[in-house]
Amino acid sequence: MQAAGAAPGTIRTGGRTARVRAAVLDAALRELAEHGYATLCVEHIAERSGVHKTTIYRRWQSKDAVLAEAIADLVETLFPIPVTDSIDADLRAFARALVDLLTSADPLVVGTIRALFSDAAADPRIAELKRDLYARRYEEARAMIHAAITQGQLPADTDVRELVGLVTAPVYYRLLVTEEPLNRAVADRAAATALTAVRAGACRRPTE
Amino acid sequence: MQAAGAAPGTIRTGGRTARVRAAVLDAALRELAEHGYATLCVEHIAERSGVHKTTIYRRWQSKDAVLAEAIADLVETLFPIPVTDSIDADLRAFARALVDLLTSADPLVVGTIRALFSDAAADPRIAELKRDLYARRYEEARAMIHAAITQGQLPADTDVRELVGLVTAPVYYRLLVTEEPLNRAVADRAAATALTAVRAGACRRPTE
């Protein structure tokens, strides 16, 4: 059942379509991580994945569509959003998962983060890709926040984006702005501060 | 009283020492903004400022020392930290000044910000420069926070760094992470959320 052209290590379970998808997304991320966004193209993804470029174009309309899906896949796999019966625990786990991702030693992750947050980010297509990625993440975080609201752990009119931003902003701030050390203590403090703020009345949805 | 070698527009009031300093700092920032950190050197700063490089080396030990002083000067001039009798007004003015600086159309400011927060930031000397810059800014913000504590507007054990980080992190988050629009409404919301959080018990200094 192994696709002839796919490199070892890129095979996931599933049918041929799933294998082709996995090989293409993996190749796109490796190209991005190793060579950056500027030289990324469907031809290189095709060569690296062993999937013909017409097959790639049939499924994705552009290199940006491949890349968007590859990055969303990576983030969802390495950084799942928890939903338990405790929003305190969930937000702490969420913040820690972000810190772990941003401090990962995996070259694929390091390269992807560099591509998203470095000079390449000046490219408007990277900016659009990031906006889509964050919109998708906010949608996923909605389940976590809404579970807490239903259980009376958060105010009913809590704004998902504001709260998620409040938890994650201090983490990115240390990484990208002050370049202070980033660790789980930072994550725990960010989650605790966000909870204090939201329970004291911050992060409410604007009234109509 | 005008220094013969200095270019028009770089002259400030003060004696010869002050004029030389102003010319050197101005030249360093313009070199950085136009050509980036990688090619910045004392020779170019000397040429551009009309100040001999031995004079520069006598006052500053390296290009990094010149640059650190130039950036600190720029930030302090364009982004003064207010101290009035209202911490609510001060934090809002502080957040707005940051937004104004980060969205400035002045090529000198744009170039400096790009140099501090782009690929050049991977250089450990830029990271050190940024750490020094932020340490200095935290020291300046201390006066603003302490005035509020003295007047009973903030808890006595408020942590200056935590509070300043809480106000500024959401602003940088939009600029560098989600690339959502940055405006004064974002600044006002960041200041209001930080005040709600600190008054509800966040941003306290760790107990000894």
Side-chain angles (χ1 to χ4, degrees), chain A residues 117-119 121 127 130-131 134 138 161-162 165-166 168-170 172-173 176-180 189 193 196-197 200-204 206, chain B residues 117-119 121 127 130-131 134 138 161-162 165-166 168-170 172-173 176-180 189 193 196-197 200-204 206:
Chain A
F117 298 111
S118 73
D119 277 355
K130 282 167 72 179
R131 274 192 295 270
Y134 282 98
Y138 287 131
R161 277 185 176 239
E162 284 291 321
L166 200 57
T168 55
Y172 285 108
Y173 180 68
L176 301 172
V177 181
T178 64
E179 304 199 30
E180 292 168 286
R189 189 149 192 174
T193 298
T196 300
C203 305
R204 298 297 166 84
Chain B
F117 298 112
S118 73
D119 276 356
K130 282 166 71 179
R131 274 191 295 270
Y134 283 98
Y138 286 131
R161 277 184 177 241
E162 284 292 321
L166 200 56
T168 55
Y172 284 108
Y173 180 67
L176 301 171
V177 181
T178 62
E179 305 198 29
E180 291 168 287
R189 188 149 192 173
T193 297
T196 299
C203 307
R204 298 297 165 83

Short mmCIF file of all heavy atoms in Angstrom, two decimals, chain A residues 117-119 121 127 130-131 134 138 161-162 165-166 168-170 172-173 176-180 189 193 196-197 200-204 206, chain B residues 117-119 121 127 130-131 134 138 161-162 165-166 168-170 172-173 176-180 189 193 196-197 200-204 206:
data_model
loop_
_atom_site.label_atom_id
_atom_site.label_comp_id
_atom_site.label_asym_id
_atom_site.label_seq_id
_atom_site.Cartn_x
_atom_site.Cartn_y
_atom_site.Cartn_z
N PHE A 117 7.56 34.66 10.97
CA PHE A 117 7.78 35.84 11.81
C PHE A 117 9.06 36.60 11.48
O PHE A 117 9.55 37.34 12.30
CB PHE A 117 7.80 35.45 13.29
CG PHE A 117 6.50 34.86 13.74
CD1 PHE A 117 6.41 33.54 14.08
CD2 PHE A 117 5.37 35.65 13.81
CE1 PHE A 117 5.21 32.99 14.49
CE2 PHE A 117 4.17 35.12 14.22
CZ PHE A 117 4.08 33.78 14.56
N SER A 118 9.63 36.40 10.31
CA SER A 118 10.87 37.11 9.97
C SER A 118 10.61 38.04 8.80
O SER A 118 9.47 38.38 8.50
CB SER A 118 11.96 36.11 9.61
OG SER A 118 11.68 35.55 8.35
N ASP A 119 11.66 38.45 8.12
CA ASP A 119 11.53 39.34 6.96
C ASP A 119 10.53 38.83 5.94
O ASP A 119 9.85 39.61 5.28
CB ASP A 119 12.89 39.51 6.28
CG ASP A 119 13.73 40.57 6.98
OD1 ASP A 119 13.20 41.20 7.90
OD2 ASP A 119 14.89 40.74 6.61
N ALA A 121 7.85 37.68 6.43
CA ALA A 121 6.51 38.07 6.84
C ALA A 121 6.10 39.40 6.22
O ALA A 121 4.93 39.76 6.25
CB ALA A 121 6.43 38.15 8.36
N ALA A 127 1.31 37.43 5.25
CA ALA A 127 0.40 38.11 6.18
C ALA A 127 -1.00 37.52 6.06
O ALA A 127 -1.66 37.26 7.07
CB ALA A 127 0.39 39.61 5.88
N LYS A 130 -1.13 34.10 7.59
CA LYS A 130 -1.17 34.17 9.05
C LYS A 130 -2.56 34.58 9.55
O LYS A 130 -3.06 34.02 10.53
CB LYS A 130 -0.11 35.18 9.56
CG LYS A 130 1.29 34.58 9.54
CD LYS A 130 2.36 35.64 9.72
CE LYS A 130 2.41 36.20 11.12
NZ LYS A 130 3.47 37.22 11.25
N ARG A 131 -3.18 35.52 8.86
CA ARG A 131 -4.53 35.92 9.28
C ARG A 131 -5.49 34.74 9.21
O ARG A 131 -6.28 34.52 10.12
CB ARG A 131 -5.03 37.09 8.42
CG ARG A 131 -4.58 38.45 8.96
CD ARG A 131 -5.33 39.59 8.27
NE ARG A 131 -5.00 39.65 6.85
CZ ARG A 131 -3.99 40.37 6.35
NH1 ARG A 131 -3.24 41.09 7.14
NH2 ARG A 131 -3.75 40.37 5.05
N TYR A 134 -4.69 32.26 12.10
CA TYR A 134 -5.16 32.70 13.41
C TYR A 134 -6.69 32.67 13.48
O TYR A 134 -7.26 32.33 14.51
CB TYR A 134 -4.59 34.07 13.77
CG TYR A 134 -3.15 33.92 14.23
CD1 TYR A 134 -2.09 34.15 13.37
CD2 TYR A 134 -2.87 33.47 15.51
CE1 TYR A 134 -0.78 33.96 13.78
CE2 TYR A 134 -1.57 33.28 15.93
CZ TYR A 134 -0.52 33.52 15.06
OH TYR A 134 0.76 33.32 15.46
N TYR A 138 -8.66 30.69 16.31
CA TYR A 138 -9.68 31.32 17.17
C TYR A 138 -10.96 30.49 17.13
O TYR A 138 -11.61 30.31 18.15
CB TYR A 138 -9.97 32.75 16.72
CG TYR A 138 -8.88 33.75 17.03
CD1 TYR A 138 -8.39 34.62 16.06
CD2 TYR A 138 -8.35 33.85 18.32
CE1 TYR A 138 -7.39 35.55 16.36
CE2 TYR A 138 -7.36 34.79 18.62
CZ TYR A 138 -6.88 35.63 17.62
OH TYR A 138 -5.91 36.55 17.91
N ARG A 161 -11.53 35.96 20.96
CA ARG A 161 -10.28 36.51 20.42
C ARG A 161 -9.52 37.32 21.47
O ARG A 161 -8.30 37.22 21.58
CB ARG A 161 -10.58 37.45 19.25
CG ARG A 161 -10.76 36.71 17.96
CD ARG A 161 -10.93 37.71 16.80
NE ARG A 161 -11.00 36.96 15.57
CZ ARG A 161 -10.16 37.10 14.55
NH1 ARG A 161 -9.20 38.00 14.59
NH2 ARG A 161 -10.28 36.36 13.47
N GLU A 162 -10.26 38.11 22.22
CA GLU A 162 -9.60 38.94 23.24
C GLU A 162 -8.92 38.07 24.29
O GLU A 162 -7.80 38.33 24.69
CB GLU A 162 -10.61 39.88 23.90
CG GLU A 162 -11.02 41.07 23.05
CD GLU A 162 -9.88 42.07 22.85
OE1 GLU A 162 -9.12 42.32 23.79
OE2 GLU A 162 -9.75 42.60 21.72
N GLY A 165 -5.96 36.18 22.80
CA GLY A 165 -4.89 37.16 22.61
C GLY A 165 -4.21 37.51 23.92
O GLY A 165 -2.99 37.65 23.98
N LEU A 166 -5.01 37.61 24.97
CA LEU A 166 -4.46 37.99 26.28
C LEU A 166 -3.53 36.89 26.83
O LEU A 166 -2.53 37.18 27.48
CB LEU A 166 -5.61 38.25 27.26
CG LEU A 166 -5.29 39.08 28.49
CD1 LEU A 166 -4.73 40.44 28.11
CD2 LEU A 166 -6.55 39.27 29.34
N THR A 168 -1.88 34.60 24.86
CA THR A 168 -0.73 34.34 23.99
C THR A 168 0.19 35.55 23.78
O THR A 168 1.39 35.37 23.57
CB THR A 168 -1.20 33.84 22.60
OG1 THR A 168 -2.12 34.79 22.06
CG2 THR A 168 -1.89 32.50 22.72
N ALA A 169 -0.37 36.77 23.88
CA ALA A 169 0.44 37.97 23.60
C ALA A 169 1.71 38.05 24.46
O ALA A 169 2.79 38.33 23.93
CB ALA A 169 -0.40 39.23 23.74
N PRO A 170 1.65 37.78 25.79
CA PRO A 170 2.88 37.88 26.58
C PRO A 170 3.94 36.87 26.18
O PRO A 170 5.13 37.10 26.37
CB PRO A 170 2.40 37.61 28.02
CG PRO A 170 0.93 37.85 28.01
CD PRO A 170 0.47 37.48 26.63
N TYR A 172 4.44 35.64 22.95
CA TYR A 172 5.06 36.18 21.74
C TYR A 172 5.91 37.42 22.06
O TYR A 172 6.94 37.65 21.44
CB TYR A 172 4.00 36.55 20.70
CG TYR A 172 3.38 35.37 19.99
CD1 TYR A 172 2.09 34.96 20.25
CD2 TYR A 172 4.11 34.69 19.01
CE1 TYR A 172 1.51 33.90 19.56
CE2 TYR A 172 3.54 33.63 18.33
CZ TYR A 172 2.24 33.24 18.60
OH TYR A 172 1.68 32.20 17.93
N TYR A 173 5.45 38.22 22.99
CA TYR A 173 6.16 39.44 23.39
C TYR A 173 7.58 39.13 23.83
O TYR A 173 8.53 39.79 23.42
CB TYR A 173 5.37 40.09 24.52
CG TYR A 173 5.93 41.37 25.10
CD1 TYR A 173 5.95 42.54 24.35
CD2 TYR A 173 6.38 41.43 26.41
CE1 TYR A 173 6.43 43.72 24.88
CE2 TYR A 173 6.85 42.61 26.96
CZ TYR A 173 6.87 43.75 26.19
OH TYR A 173 7.34 44.92 26.74
N LEU A 176 9.51 37.71 20.54
CA LEU A 176 9.76 38.59 19.40
C LEU A 176 10.18 40.00 19.79
O LEU A 176 10.78 40.70 18.99
CB LEU A 176 8.50 38.69 18.53
CG LEU A 176 7.96 37.38 17.95
CD1 LEU A 176 6.61 37.61 17.29
CD2 LEU A 176 8.95 36.80 16.94
N VAL A 177 9.86 40.43 20.99
CA VAL A 177 10.11 41.83 21.35
C VAL A 177 11.27 41.94 22.33
O VAL A 177 12.35 42.40 21.96
CB VAL A 177 8.83 42.49 21.91
CG1 VAL A 177 9.10 43.95 22.25
CG2 VAL A 177 7.70 42.38 20.91
N THR A 178 11.06 41.51 23.55
CA THR A 178 12.12 41.73 24.54
C THR A 178 13.20 40.66 24.50
O THR A 178 14.28 40.85 25.06
CB THR A 178 11.53 41.77 25.97
OG1 THR A 178 10.96 40.50 26.28
CG2 THR A 178 10.46 42.84 26.08
N GLU A 179 12.92 39.52 23.84
CA GLU A 179 13.89 38.41 23.76
C GLU A 179 14.35 37.95 25.14
O GLU A 179 15.51 37.56 25.33
CB GLU A 179 15.06 38.76 22.83
CG GLU A 179 14.54 39.16 21.45
CD GLU A 179 15.58 39.09 20.35
OE1 GLU A 179 16.50 38.27 20.44
OE2 GLU A 179 15.46 39.86 19.39
N GLU A 180 13.44 38.02 26.11
CA GLU A 180 13.72 37.43 27.42
C GLU A 180 13.47 35.92 27.33
O GLU A 180 12.83 35.45 26.39
CB GLU A 180 12.78 38.05 28.47
CG GLU A 180 13.07 39.51 28.75
CD GLU A 180 11.96 40.15 29.56
OE1 GLU A 180 10.88 40.40 28.99
OE2 GLU A 180 12.18 40.43 30.74
N ARG A 189 2.06 32.06 34.08
CA ARG A 189 1.74 33.42 34.51
C ARG A 189 0.79 34.10 33.52
O ARG A 189 -0.15 34.79 33.92
CB ARG A 189 3.03 34.22 34.65
CG ARG A 189 2.83 35.57 35.28
CD ARG A 189 4.04 36.01 36.08
NE ARG A 189 3.69 37.16 36.90
CZ ARG A 189 4.50 37.69 37.79
NH1 ARG A 189 5.69 37.17 38.02
NH2 ARG A 189 4.12 38.73 38.50
N THR A 193 -2.86 35.43 34.64
CA THR A 193 -3.19 36.85 34.49
C THR A 193 -4.43 37.02 33.61
O THR A 193 -5.32 37.83 33.92
CB THR A 193 -2.00 37.62 33.86
OG1 THR A 193 -0.89 37.53 34.76
CG2 THR A 193 -2.34 39.08 33.65
N THR A 196 -7.50 36.13 35.63
CA THR A 196 -7.81 37.21 36.58
C THR A 196 -8.50 38.36 35.86
O THR A 196 -9.51 38.89 36.32
CB THR A 196 -6.50 37.72 37.24
OG1 THR A 196 -5.89 36.64 37.93
CG2 THR A 196 -6.78 38.86 38.21
N ALA A 197 -7.94 38.73 34.70
CA ALA A 197 -8.49 39.87 33.94
C ALA A 197 -9.91 39.58 33.46
O ALA A 197 -10.81 40.40 33.63
CB ALA A 197 -7.58 40.19 32.76
N ALA A 200 -12.47 39.67 36.09
CA ALA A 200 -12.68 41.00 36.65
C ALA A 200 -13.38 41.93 35.65
O ALA A 200 -13.56 43.11 35.91
CB ALA A 200 -11.35 41.61 37.09
N GLY A 201 -13.71 41.39 34.48
CA GLY A 201 -14.51 42.20 33.55
C GLY A 201 -13.83 42.56 32.25
O GLY A 201 -14.42 43.24 31.41
N ALA A 202 -12.58 42.12 32.04
CA ALA A 202 -11.92 42.40 30.77
C ALA A 202 -12.39 41.37 29.72
O ALA A 202 -13.05 40.40 30.07
CB ALA A 202 -10.41 42.33 30.94
N CYS A 203 -12.02 41.60 28.46
CA CYS A 203 -12.30 40.65 27.37
C CYS A 203 -13.78 40.40 27.15
O CYS A 203 -14.18 39.29 26.78
CB CYS A 203 -11.62 39.30 27.62
SG CYS A 203 -9.88 39.40 27.90
N ARG A 204 -14.63 41.41 27.39
CA ARG A 204 -16.05 41.24 27.08
C ARG A 204 -16.29 41.58 25.62
O ARG A 204 -15.62 42.45 25.07
CB ARG A 204 -16.91 42.17 27.96
CG ARG A 204 -16.79 41.88 29.44
CD ARG A 204 -17.28 40.48 29.77
NE ARG A 204 -16.88 40.07 31.11
CZ ARG A 204 -17.53 40.39 32.23
NH1 ARG A 204 -18.61 41.11 32.18
NH2 ARG A 204 -17.09 39.96 33.38
N PRO A 206 -17.93 43.49 22.67
CA PRO A 206 -18.53 44.83 22.64
C PRO A 206 -20.05 44.69 22.57
O PRO A 206 -20.56 43.80 21.89
CB PRO A 206 -17.99 45.44 21.35
CG PRO A 206 -16.93 44.52 20.86
CD PRO A 206 -17.11 43.19 21.50
N PHE B 117 13.19 44.20 14.63
CA PHE B 117 12.23 43.10 14.71
C PHE B 117 12.20 42.21 13.48
O PHE B 117 11.23 41.54 13.23
CB PHE B 117 10.81 43.65 14.95
CG PHE B 117 10.70 44.39 16.25
CD1 PHE B 117 10.49 45.76 16.27
CD2 PHE B 117 10.81 43.71 17.45
CE1 PHE B 117 10.39 46.44 17.47
CE2 PHE B 117 10.71 44.38 18.65
CZ PHE B 117 10.50 45.75 18.66
N SER B 118 13.24 42.23 12.67
CA SER B 118 13.25 41.38 11.48
C SER B 118 14.36 40.36 11.60
O SER B 118 14.85 40.08 12.67
CB SER B 118 13.46 42.26 10.24
OG SER B 118 14.81 42.69 10.22
N ASP B 119 14.77 39.80 10.45
CA ASP B 119 15.84 38.80 10.45
C ASP B 119 17.09 39.29 11.17
O ASP B 119 17.81 38.51 11.79
CB ASP B 119 16.22 38.45 9.00
CG ASP B 119 15.28 37.39 8.44
OD1 ASP B 119 14.42 36.91 9.20
OD2 ASP B 119 15.41 37.06 7.26
N ALA B 121 17.28 40.72 13.74
CA ALA B 121 17.11 40.50 15.17
C ALA B 121 17.70 39.15 15.59
O ALA B 121 17.88 38.88 16.78
CB ALA B 121 15.65 40.58 15.55
N ALA B 127 19.85 41.41 19.85
CA ALA B 127 19.08 40.91 20.99
C ALA B 127 19.55 41.60 22.27
O ALA B 127 18.73 42.01 23.10
CB ALA B 127 19.23 39.40 21.10
N LYS B 130 18.37 45.14 22.34
CA LYS B 130 16.95 45.23 22.67
C LYS B 130 16.72 45.01 24.17
O LYS B 130 15.92 45.69 24.79
CB LYS B 130 16.15 44.21 21.86
CG LYS B 130 15.91 44.67 20.43
CD LYS B 130 15.44 43.55 19.53
CE LYS B 130 14.02 43.13 19.84
NZ LYS B 130 13.57 42.05 18.94
N ARG B 131 17.45 44.06 24.74
CA ARG B 131 17.29 43.82 26.19
C ARG B 131 17.66 45.08 26.98
O ARG B 131 16.97 45.48 27.90
CB ARG B 131 18.12 42.61 26.64
CG ARG B 131 17.38 41.29 26.47
CD ARG B 131 18.11 40.15 27.17
NE ARG B 131 19.41 39.90 26.57
CZ ARG B 131 19.62 39.04 25.57
NH1 ARG B 131 18.63 38.35 25.07
NH2 ARG B 131 20.82 38.87 25.06
N TYR B 134 14.91 47.76 26.53
CA TYR B 134 13.70 47.51 27.32
C TYR B 134 13.96 47.67 28.81
O TYR B 134 13.11 48.18 29.54
CB TYR B 134 13.10 46.14 26.97
CG TYR B 134 12.36 46.21 25.66
CD1 TYR B 134 12.94 45.81 24.46
CD2 TYR B 134 11.08 46.77 25.60
CE1 TYR B 134 12.28 45.93 23.25
CE2 TYR B 134 10.41 46.90 24.40
CZ TYR B 134 11.01 46.48 23.23
OH TYR B 134 10.35 46.62 22.04
N TYR B 138 11.80 50.13 31.10
CA TYR B 138 11.13 49.69 32.33
C TYR B 138 11.51 50.62 33.49
O TYR B 138 10.68 50.96 34.31
CB TYR B 138 11.51 48.24 32.68
CG TYR B 138 10.87 47.19 31.80
CD1 TYR B 138 11.64 46.17 31.22
CD2 TYR B 138 9.49 47.18 31.56
CE1 TYR B 138 11.06 45.19 30.41
CE2 TYR B 138 8.91 46.21 30.75
CZ TYR B 138 9.70 45.21 30.18
OH TYR B 138 9.14 44.26 29.40
N ARG B 161 7.44 45.67 35.42
CA ARG B 161 7.64 44.94 34.16
C ARG B 161 6.39 44.19 33.72
O ARG B 161 6.04 44.19 32.54
CB ARG B 161 8.76 43.91 34.31
CG ARG B 161 10.13 44.52 34.13
CD ARG B 161 11.20 43.43 34.18
NE ARG B 161 12.48 44.03 33.93
CZ ARG B 161 13.28 43.72 32.91
NH1 ARG B 161 12.94 42.77 32.06
NH2 ARG B 161 14.43 44.34 32.73
N GLU B 162 5.74 43.54 34.68
CA GLU B 162 4.54 42.78 34.32
C GLU B 162 3.46 43.70 33.79
O GLU B 162 2.81 43.39 32.79
CB GLU B 162 4.02 42.01 35.54
CG GLU B 162 4.83 40.77 35.90
CD GLU B 162 4.70 39.67 34.85
OE1 GLU B 162 3.60 39.47 34.31
OE2 GLU B 162 5.73 39.02 34.57
N GLY B 165 4.45 45.14 30.41
CA GLY B 165 4.31 44.06 29.43
C GLY B 165 2.86 43.79 29.08
O GLY B 165 2.52 43.56 27.92
N LEU B 166 2.00 43.88 30.08
CA LEU B 166 0.57 43.60 29.85
C LEU B 166 -0.06 44.66 28.95
O LEU B 166 -0.93 44.36 28.14
CB LEU B 166 -0.15 43.55 31.20
CG LEU B 166 -1.50 42.83 31.24
CD1 LEU B 166 -1.37 41.40 30.75
CD2 LEU B 166 -2.05 42.83 32.66
N THR B 168 1.69 46.58 26.69
CA THR B 168 2.33 46.64 25.36
C THR B 168 2.22 45.35 24.56
O THR B 168 2.18 45.39 23.33
CB THR B 168 3.81 47.02 25.49
OG1 THR B 168 4.46 46.10 26.37
CG2 THR B 168 3.97 48.43 26.05
N ALA B 169 2.14 44.19 25.25
CA ALA B 169 2.14 42.91 24.53
C ALA B 169 1.02 42.81 23.48
O ALA B 169 1.29 42.38 22.35
CB ALA B 169 2.07 41.74 25.52
N PRO B 170 -0.22 43.22 23.79
CA PRO B 170 -1.28 43.10 22.77
C PRO B 170 -1.03 43.97 21.54
O PRO B 170 -1.47 43.65 20.45
CB PRO B 170 -2.55 43.56 23.50
CG PRO B 170 -2.24 43.46 24.95
CD PRO B 170 -0.76 43.71 25.07
N TYR B 172 2.11 44.80 20.27
CA TYR B 172 3.11 44.08 19.47
C TYR B 172 2.51 42.81 18.85
O TYR B 172 2.88 42.42 17.75
CB TYR B 172 4.31 43.70 20.34
CG TYR B 172 5.25 44.83 20.65
CD1 TYR B 172 5.32 45.38 21.92
CD2 TYR B 172 6.10 45.34 19.68
CE1 TYR B 172 6.20 46.41 22.22
CE2 TYR B 172 6.98 46.36 19.97
CZ TYR B 172 7.03 46.89 21.24
OH TYR B 172 7.91 47.90 21.53
N TYR B 173 1.62 42.15 19.57
CA TYR B 173 0.98 40.92 19.10
C TYR B 173 0.28 41.15 17.76
O TYR B 173 0.42 40.37 16.82
CB TYR B 173 -0.01 40.47 20.17
CG TYR B 173 -0.79 39.22 19.88
CD1 TYR B 173 -0.17 37.97 19.80
CD2 TYR B 173 -2.17 39.27 19.72
CE1 TYR B 173 -0.91 36.83 19.58
CE2 TYR B 173 -2.93 38.12 19.50
CZ TYR B 173 -2.29 36.90 19.42
OH TYR B 173 -3.03 35.77 19.21
N LEU B 176 3.20 42.05 15.05
CA LEU B 176 4.17 41.03 14.67
C LEU B 176 3.58 39.64 14.49
O LEU B 176 4.16 38.81 13.82
CB LEU B 176 5.28 40.95 15.73
CG LEU B 176 6.08 42.24 16.00
CD1 LEU B 176 6.98 42.04 17.21
CD2 LEU B 176 6.89 42.61 14.78
N VAL B 177 2.43 39.38 15.12
CA VAL B 177 1.91 38.01 15.10
C VAL B 177 0.70 37.90 14.17
O VAL B 177 0.79 37.31 13.10
CB VAL B 177 1.58 37.52 16.52
CG1 VAL B 177 1.06 36.08 16.48
CG2 VAL B 177 2.82 37.62 17.41
N THR B 178 -0.41 38.49 14.57
CA THR B 178 -1.62 38.28 13.77
C THR B 178 -1.73 39.24 12.59
O THR B 178 -2.51 39.02 11.68
CB THR B 178 -2.89 38.43 14.63
OG1 THR B 178 -2.94 39.77 15.15
CG2 THR B 178 -2.87 37.46 15.80
N GLU B 179 -0.92 40.32 12.61
CA GLU B 179 -0.95 41.33 11.55
C GLU B 179 -2.35 41.90 11.32
O GLU B 179 -2.74 42.22 10.21
CB GLU B 179 -0.33 40.80 10.25
CG GLU B 179 1.09 40.28 10.51
CD GLU B 179 1.93 40.14 9.26
OE1 GLU B 179 1.71 40.88 8.29
OE2 GLU B 179 2.83 39.29 9.26
N GLU B 180 -3.10 42.02 12.41
CA GLU B 180 -4.38 42.70 12.35
C GLU B 180 -4.12 44.21 12.41
O GLU B 180 -3.03 44.64 12.77
CB GLU B 180 -5.26 42.29 13.53
CG GLU B 180 -5.74 40.84 13.46
CD GLU B 180 -6.35 40.39 14.78
OE1 GLU B 180 -5.58 40.17 15.75
OE2 GLU B 180 -7.56 40.24 14.85
N ARG B 189 -7.88 49.74 24.48
CA ARG B 189 -8.36 48.47 25.02
C ARG B 189 -7.26 47.77 25.82
O ARG B 189 -7.51 47.21 26.88
CB ARG B 189 -8.84 47.58 23.86
CG ARG B 189 -9.53 46.34 24.35
CD ARG B 189 -10.61 45.87 23.38
NE ARG B 189 -11.43 44.87 24.01
CZ ARG B 189 -12.52 44.36 23.47
NH1 ARG B 189 -12.93 44.77 22.29
NH2 ARG B 189 -13.22 43.43 24.10
N THR B 193 -7.67 46.90 29.74
CA THR B 193 -7.58 45.50 30.18
C THR B 193 -6.48 45.34 31.23
O THR B 193 -6.66 44.66 32.24
CB THR B 193 -7.30 44.57 28.97
OG1 THR B 193 -8.39 44.67 28.06
CG2 THR B 193 -7.13 43.12 29.41
N THR B 196 -7.71 46.72 34.54
CA THR B 196 -8.67 45.78 35.14
C THR B 196 -7.91 44.62 35.79
O THR B 196 -8.19 44.22 36.93
CB THR B 196 -9.62 45.23 34.05
OG1 THR B 196 -10.32 46.32 33.48
CG2 THR B 196 -10.61 44.23 34.64
N ALA B 197 -6.93 44.09 35.06
CA ALA B 197 -6.18 42.93 35.56
C ALA B 197 -5.37 43.28 36.81
O ALA B 197 -5.40 42.55 37.81
CB ALA B 197 -5.25 42.41 34.46
N ALA B 200 -7.39 43.69 39.84
CA ALA B 200 -8.01 42.44 40.31
C ALA B 200 -6.96 41.48 40.86
O ALA B 200 -7.28 40.35 41.22
CB ALA B 200 -8.77 41.79 39.15
N GLY B 201 -5.70 41.93 40.91
CA GLY B 201 -4.70 41.08 41.57
C GLY B 201 -3.60 40.53 40.67
O GLY B 201 -2.70 39.84 41.14
N ALA B 202 -3.64 40.83 39.38
CA ALA B 202 -2.56 40.38 38.49
C ALA B 202 -1.36 41.32 38.63
O ALA B 202 -1.47 42.38 39.25
CB ALA B 202 -3.05 40.35 37.05
N CYS B 203 -0.24 40.93 38.04
CA CYS B 203 0.97 41.79 37.99
C CYS B 203 1.52 42.14 39.35
O CYS B 203 2.06 43.24 39.53
CB CYS B 203 0.70 43.07 37.22
SG CYS B 203 0.03 42.85 35.59
N ARG B 204 1.39 41.24 40.32
CA ARG B 204 2.00 41.50 41.62
C ARG B 204 3.44 41.02 41.61
O ARG B 204 3.78 40.04 40.92
CB ARG B 204 1.24 40.74 42.73
CG ARG B 204 -0.20 41.17 42.88
CD ARG B 204 -0.30 42.63 43.29
NE ARG B 204 -1.65 43.17 43.12
CZ ARG B 204 -2.64 43.04 44.00
NH1 ARG B 204 -2.43 42.37 45.13
NH2 ARG B 204 -3.81 43.54 43.76
N PRO B 206 6.51 38.98 42.81
CA PRO B 206 6.56 37.70 43.53
C PRO B 206 6.96 37.97 44.98
O PRO B 206 7.81 38.82 45.23
CB PRO B 206 7.65 36.91 42.80
CG PRO B 206 7.96 37.66 41.57
CD PRO B 206 7.50 39.07 41.73
#
